[in-house]
Amino acid sequence: MADKQSRSQSQQLHNDNTRRQRKRLKLEYESDNVNKKPQTASPIANEKKKENVQKQDVVDDKDKACNWEPNRWRLQLQNIREMRKARDAPVDIMGCSELSDRSESVQTQRYQTLISLMLSSQTKDQITAAAMEKLKNYGLTMDNVMATSDKQLGELIFPVGFWQRKVQYIKKTTAILIEKYDKDIPATIDELKSLPGIGPKMAHLIMLSAWDKVVGIGVDTHVHRISNRLKWVKKPTTDPEKTRIALEEWLPREEWREINCLLVGFGQTICLPINPKCATCLNKPICPYGRRGK
């Protein structure tokens, strides 16, 4: 009985000690929290955090841009394909991809494609095709061009737009091709754009027509005009290069190969620069420009 009472007293003493110890630890913990100063991040850490937030904002903005696409563009494109079924526009018959001499070597054909695109700037397809015919009959090879006087070359390409300037472009570019590219043409956009008289539109079309590579969209005045009329750009663009960048942001890559020829022919036959034939256009009900009654 005494042993039992002694054990009970011992247990009670142990419990009291445990409670006192817990209470002391709790008071120490609370005291530490009251006196403890909040930790502040270092200036470097704050700057890194700020940079990460800014980077994420840029990524979010890019995602938003990539997700944008014009209203009903697929139906508009389908209608344009329907209106272009006949393939009877000048670009279909006399476009630069059609003007090289297929009996020549592949290298010479690529050179002729480059020359035809150089001549086509500010020039109707019919005039470009006539100039190319004269050049091919004369002998449109690099050696022949370098052996031809500027006067005679000018007579061969007249009356293409800015023909005198283009004589110089042809001569300078041909000399570069002989010296740097072993009588072939460059196979990259940047190298093509470095040649005299070759701009972004020509470079992308050369890559497609001469090398069968789709690396971008060739945008001329027709593509530029139609893209703005259909509102295929988020905001109006002021020149073809800005239009190219805007189109490439959203237009699926599988459409890039065909889009230039489709829109150029559409612009030559229906969506004309002046007095477009909106009354006969399948897109009139869903075209922002056509609905204005233009």
Side-chain angles (χ1 to χ4, degrees):
M1 185 72 169
D3 288 343
K4 185 176 181 181
Q5 187 175 3
S6 176
R7 284 197 300 272
S8 177
Q9 290 174 348
S10 176
Q11 182 66 39
Q12 182 65 37
L13 181 62
H14 174 74
N15 290 342
D16 289 343
N17 287 337
T18 300
R19 281 194 293 272
R20 281 194 295 273
Q21 187 176 11
R22 287 176 179 171
K23 186 175 181 180
R24 178 174 59 79
L25 291 172
K26 181 180 179 184
L27 289 172
E28 287 176 357
Y29 173 78
E30 290 175 348
S31 176
D32 285 346
N33 282 342
V34 169
N35 297 325
K36 194 174 183 180
K37 293 182 180 180
Q39 290 185 348
T40 58
S42 68
I44 295 176
N46 282 333
E47 191 61 31
K48 286 184 177 179
K49 184 177 180 181
K50 184 178 178 182
E51 287 177 3
N52 289 335
V53 170
Q54 290 173 341
K55 286 178 181 177
Q56 186 60 46
D57 287 343
V58 170
V59 170
D60 291 342
D61 288 342
K62 286 182 178 179
D63 288 342
K64 289 176 184 176
C66 291
N67 290 333
W68 181 88
E69 63 179 35
N71 292 328
R72 309 188 78 174
W73 72 269
R74 291 185 186 277
L75 179 56
Q76 291 168 339
L77 183 58
Q78 180 182 327
N79 286 339
I80 291 171
R81 284 198 175 100
E82 178 65 24
M83 290 182 280
R84 291 276 287 115
K85 275 197 314 186
R87 296 287 173 171
D88 54 357
V91 69
D92 300 312
I93 305 163
M94 295 171 280
C96 295
S97 62
E98 307 296 322
L99 298 181
S100 64
D101 186 347
R102 300 296 193 266
S103 67
E104 293 283 1
S105 68
V106 174
Q107 282 182 308
T108 298
Q109 288 182 52
R110 285 196 284 262
Y111 173 65
Q112 291 180 354
T113 297
L114 182 148
I115 296 298
S116 68
L117 278 155
M118 192 179 287
L119 296 176
S120 72
S121 176
Q122 304 292 312
T123 305
K124 290 185 176 181
D125 287 340
Q126 296 91 327
I127 295 175
T128 300
M132 282 295 295
E133 192 64 24
K134 286 191 288 183
L135 284 171
K136 287 185 293 184
N137 289 337
Y138 174 77
L140 184 50
T141 64
M142 294 190 195
D143 290 335
N144 254 11
V145 166
M146 293 309 296
T148 302
S149 68
D150 291 359
K151 181 178 182 296
Q152 187 173 8
L153 186 57
E155 291 170 353
L156 287 167
I157 68 172
F158 182 84
V160 300
F162 304 102
W163 63 273
Q164 292 169 308
R165 188 183 304 170
K166 289 176 182 177
V167 166
Q168 299 305 313
Y169 288 158
I170 291 171
K171 281 293 190 73
K172 290 177 182 178
T173 291
T174 303
I176 292 170
L177 299 181
I178 292 172
E179 181 181 351
K180 290 184 62 176
Y181 296 98
D182 194 24
K183 294 188 178 181
D184 207 340
I185 69 172
T188 69
I189 284 287
D190 289 339
E191 288 177 299
L192 284 167
K193 288 193 296 184
S194 72
L195 298 173
I198 301 294
K201 178 204 80 171
M202 293 182 203
H204 283 97
L205 292 177
I206 291 168
M207 288 298 296
L208 177 60
S209 299
W211 292 107
D212 195 31
K213 292 180 181 178
V214 180
V215 295
I217 300 172
V219 176
D220 69 347
T221 56
H222 295 292
V223 180
H224 170 63
R225 178 180 70 256
I226 294 165
S227 296
N228 277 272
R229 284 180 176 176
L230 290 173
K231 294 195 182 300
W232 280 10
V233 288
K234 288 184 72 173
K235 56 183 180 180
T237 51
T238 55
D239 62 67
E241 181 60 7
K242 289 185 176 68
T243 301
R244 178 188 68 80
I245 294 169
L247 284 175
E248 289 180 3
E249 284 181 353
W250 68 267
L251 187 67
R253 197 176 182 88
E254 60 266 23
E255 306 290 356
W256 290 11
R257 176 180 290 273
E258 188 184 21
I259 197 68
N260 174 271
C261 189
L262 270 178
L263 294 189
V264 170
F266 181 56
Q268 290 175 335
T269 56
I270 295 175
C271 197
L272 305 171
I274 301 172
N275 298 323
K277 301 176 182 178
C278 295
T280 61
C281 180
L282 297 179
N283 278 329
K284 183 178 180 180
I286 54 173
C287 171
Y289 186 88
R291 286 202 306 267
R292 294 184 342 190
K294 296 289 184 182

mmCIF file of all heavy atoms in Angstrom, residues 6-22:
data_model
loop_
_atom_site.group_PDB
_atom_site.id
_atom_site.type_symbol
_atom_site.label_atom_id
_atom_site.label_comp_id
_atom_site.label_asym_id
_atom_site.label_seq_id
_atom_site.Cartn_x
_atom_site.Cartn_y
_atom_site.Cartn_z
ATOM 1 N N SER A 6 3.534 5.736 -2.819
ATOM 2 C CA SER A 6 4.801 6.371 -3.202
ATOM 3 C C SER A 6 4.902 6.516 -4.715
ATOM 4 O O SER A 6 5.337 7.558 -5.244
ATOM 5 C CB SER A 6 5.965 5.532 -2.673
ATOM 6 O OG SER A 6 7.188 6.056 -3.105
ATOM 7 N N ARG A 7 4.482 5.470 -5.444
ATOM 8 C CA ARG A 7 4.527 5.546 -6.903
ATOM 9 C C ARG A 7 3.583 6.623 -7.429
ATOM 10 O O ARG A 7 3.888 7.355 -8.387
ATOM 11 C CB ARG A 7 4.149 4.192 -7.521
ATOM 12 C CG ARG A 7 5.277 3.163 -7.419
ATOM 13 C CD ARG A 7 5.028 2.009 -8.380
ATOM 14 N NE ARG A 7 3.778 1.325 -8.092
ATOM 15 C CZ ARG A 7 3.668 0.302 -7.221
ATOM 16 N NH1 ARG A 7 4.733 -0.116 -6.550
ATOM 17 N NH2 ARG A 7 2.504 -0.265 -7.032
ATOM 18 N N SER A 8 2.421 6.795 -6.806
ATOM 19 C CA SER A 8 1.451 7.797 -7.222
ATOM 20 C C SER A 8 2.001 9.201 -7.030
ATOM 21 O O SER A 8 1.848 10.082 -7.873
ATOM 22 C CB SER A 8 0.152 7.624 -6.433
ATOM 23 O OG SER A 8 -0.764 8.626 -6.768
ATOM 24 N N GLN A 9 2.657 9.404 -5.860
ATOM 25 C CA GLN A 9 3.246 10.725 -5.603
ATOM 26 C C GLN A 9 4.359 11.034 -6.606
ATOM 27 O O GLN A 9 4.514 12.172 -7.091
ATOM 28 C CB GLN A 9 3.781 10.778 -4.175
ATOM 29 C CG GLN A 9 2.665 10.792 -3.126
ATOM 30 C CD GLN A 9 3.237 10.691 -1.707
ATOM 31 O OE1 GLN A 9 4.431 10.385 -1.512
ATOM 32 N NE2 GLN A 9 2.380 10.942 -0.698
ATOM 33 N N SER A 10 5.141 9.997 -6.934
ATOM 34 C CA SER A 10 6.247 10.171 -7.889
ATOM 35 C C SER A 10 5.723 10.527 -9.287
ATOM 36 O O SER A 10 6.261 11.394 -9.979
ATOM 37 C CB SER A 10 7.084 8.883 -7.953
ATOM 38 O OG SER A 10 8.082 8.994 -8.915
ATOM 39 N N GLN A 11 4.631 9.879 -9.686
ATOM 40 C CA GLN A 11 4.027 10.145 -10.982
ATOM 41 C C GLN A 11 3.483 11.556 -11.040
ATOM 42 O O GLN A 11 3.634 12.273 -12.047
ATOM 43 C CB GLN A 11 2.904 9.127 -11.259
ATOM 44 C CG GLN A 11 2.245 9.290 -12.622
ATOM 45 C CD GLN A 11 3.225 8.988 -13.759
ATOM 46 O OE1 GLN A 11 4.030 8.048 -13.622
ATOM 47 N NE2 GLN A 11 3.189 9.784 -14.802
ATOM 48 N N GLN A 12 2.867 11.995 -9.902
ATOM 49 C CA GLN A 12 2.307 13.337 -9.850
ATOM 50 C C GLN A 12 3.410 14.382 -9.968
ATOM 51 O O GLN A 12 3.282 15.395 -10.659
ATOM 52 C CB GLN A 12 1.540 13.523 -8.523
ATOM 53 C CG GLN A 12 0.869 14.888 -8.384
ATOM 54 C CD GLN A 12 -0.219 15.091 -9.414
ATOM 55 O OE1 GLN A 12 -0.938 14.140 -9.749
ATOM 56 N NE2 GLN A 12 -0.325 16.313 -9.925
ATOM 57 N N LEU A 13 4.533 14.129 -9.292
ATOM 58 C CA LEU A 13 5.667 15.041 -9.342
ATOM 59 C C LEU A 13 6.230 15.140 -10.763
ATOM 60 O O LEU A 13 6.558 16.232 -11.254
ATOM 61 C CB LEU A 13 6.756 14.569 -8.367
ATOM 62 C CG LEU A 13 8.007 15.443 -8.290
ATOM 63 C CD1 LEU A 13 7.640 16.840 -7.805
ATOM 64 C CD2 LEU A 13 9.047 14.814 -7.357
ATOM 65 N N HIS A 14 6.293 13.986 -11.455
ATOM 66 C CA HIS A 14 6.794 13.961 -12.832
ATOM 67 C C HIS A 14 5.890 14.778 -13.767
ATOM 68 O O HIS A 14 6.353 15.558 -14.605
ATOM 69 C CB HIS A 14 6.879 12.511 -13.312
ATOM 70 C CG HIS A 14 7.247 12.387 -14.772
ATOM 71 N ND1 HIS A 14 8.501 12.615 -15.252
ATOM 72 C CD2 HIS A 14 6.459 12.080 -15.860
ATOM 73 C CE1 HIS A 14 8.529 12.451 -16.542
ATOM 74 N NE2 HIS A 14 7.280 12.113 -16.945
ATOM 75 N N ASN A 15 4.570 14.625 -13.556
ATOM 76 C CA ASN A 15 3.626 15.358 -14.406
ATOM 77 C C ASN A 15 3.728 16.864 -14.183
ATOM 78 O O ASN A 15 3.654 17.660 -15.120
ATOM 79 C CB ASN A 15 2.200 14.897 -14.125
ATOM 80 C CG ASN A 15 1.953 13.473 -14.629
ATOM 81 O OD1 ASN A 15 2.710 12.973 -15.451
ATOM 82 N ND2 ASN A 15 0.911 12.815 -14.093
ATOM 83 N N ASP A 16 3.899 17.242 -12.899
ATOM 84 C CA ASP A 16 4.034 18.668 -12.584
ATOM 85 C C ASP A 16 5.284 19.250 -13.220
ATOM 86 O O ASP A 16 5.270 20.358 -13.786
ATOM 87 C CB ASP A 16 4.087 18.872 -11.064
ATOM 88 C CG ASP A 16 2.740 18.607 -10.387
ATOM 89 O OD1 ASP A 16 1.720 18.585 -11.139
ATOM 90 O OD2 ASP A 16 2.720 18.436 -9.170
ATOM 91 N N ASN A 17 6.372 18.523 -13.182
ATOM 92 C CA ASN A 17 7.633 18.976 -13.782
ATOM 93 C C ASN A 17 7.490 19.135 -15.300
ATOM 94 O O ASN A 17 8.015 20.081 -15.912
ATOM 95 C CB ASN A 17 8.763 17.992 -13.469
ATOM 96 C CG ASN A 17 9.211 18.088 -12.020
ATOM 97 O OD1 ASN A 17 9.013 19.135 -11.377
ATOM 98 N ND2 ASN A 17 9.802 17.007 -11.507
ATOM 99 N N THR A 18 6.791 18.167 -15.894
ATOM 100 C CA THR A 18 6.604 18.210 -17.353
ATOM 101 C C THR A 18 5.800 19.439 -17.771
ATOM 102 O O THR A 18 6.121 20.126 -18.740
ATOM 103 C CB THR A 18 5.891 16.932 -17.831
ATOM 104 O OG1 THR A 18 6.689 15.800 -17.490
ATOM 105 C CG2 THR A 18 5.663 16.961 -19.343
ATOM 106 N N ARG A 19 4.712 19.734 -17.004
ATOM 107 C CA ARG A 19 3.890 20.896 -17.317
ATOM 108 C C ARG A 19 4.677 22.189 -17.171
ATOM 109 O O ARG A 19 4.567 23.107 -17.996
ATOM 110 C CB ARG A 19 2.653 20.913 -16.409
ATOM 111 C CG ARG A 19 1.538 19.952 -16.867
ATOM 112 C CD ARG A 19 0.248 20.267 -16.154
ATOM 113 N NE ARG A 19 0.344 19.974 -14.719
ATOM 114 C CZ ARG A 19 0.075 18.786 -14.175
ATOM 115 N NH1 ARG A 19 -0.341 17.788 -14.939
ATOM 116 N NH2 ARG A 19 0.198 18.597 -12.874
ATOM 117 N N ARG A 20 5.491 22.275 -16.096
ATOM 118 C CA ARG A 20 6.291 23.480 -15.891
ATOM 119 C C ARG A 20 7.310 23.669 -17.024
ATOM 120 O O ARG A 20 7.554 24.781 -17.501
ATOM 121 C CB ARG A 20 7.016 23.393 -14.531
ATOM 122 C CG ARG A 20 6.115 23.735 -13.354
ATOM 123 C CD ARG A 20 6.939 23.978 -12.112
ATOM 124 N NE ARG A 20 7.648 22.790 -11.666
ATOM 125 C CZ ARG A 20 7.131 21.872 -10.850
ATOM 126 N NH1 ARG A 20 5.907 22.019 -10.367
ATOM 127 N NH2 ARG A 20 7.838 20.825 -10.493
ATOM 128 N N GLN A 21 7.911 22.568 -17.485
ATOM 129 C CA GLN A 21 8.900 22.640 -18.559
ATOM 130 C C GLN A 21 8.256 23.096 -19.870
ATOM 131 O O GLN A 21 8.794 23.935 -20.598
ATOM 132 C CB GLN A 21 9.561 21.278 -18.757
ATOM 133 C CG GLN A 21 10.724 21.301 -19.744
ATOM 134 C CD GLN A 21 11.413 19.946 -19.825
ATOM 135 O OE1 GLN A 21 10.900 18.960 -19.309
ATOM 136 N NE2 GLN A 21 12.568 19.916 -20.455
ATOM 137 N N ARG A 22 7.072 22.563 -20.167
ATOM 138 C CA ARG A 22 6.353 22.969 -21.383
ATOM 139 C C ARG A 22 5.997 24.450 -21.346
ATOM 140 O O ARG A 22 6.102 25.167 -22.347
ATOM 141 C CB ARG A 22 5.081 22.137 -21.553
ATOM 142 C CG ARG A 22 5.341 20.700 -21.993
ATOM 143 C CD ARG A 22 4.054 19.930 -22.028
ATOM 144 N NE ARG A 22 4.302 18.561 -22.485
ATOM 145 C CZ ARG A 22 3.376 17.598 -22.459
ATOM 146 N NH1 ARG A 22 2.151 17.863 -22.003
ATOM 147 N NH2 ARG A 22 3.672 16.384 -22.876
#
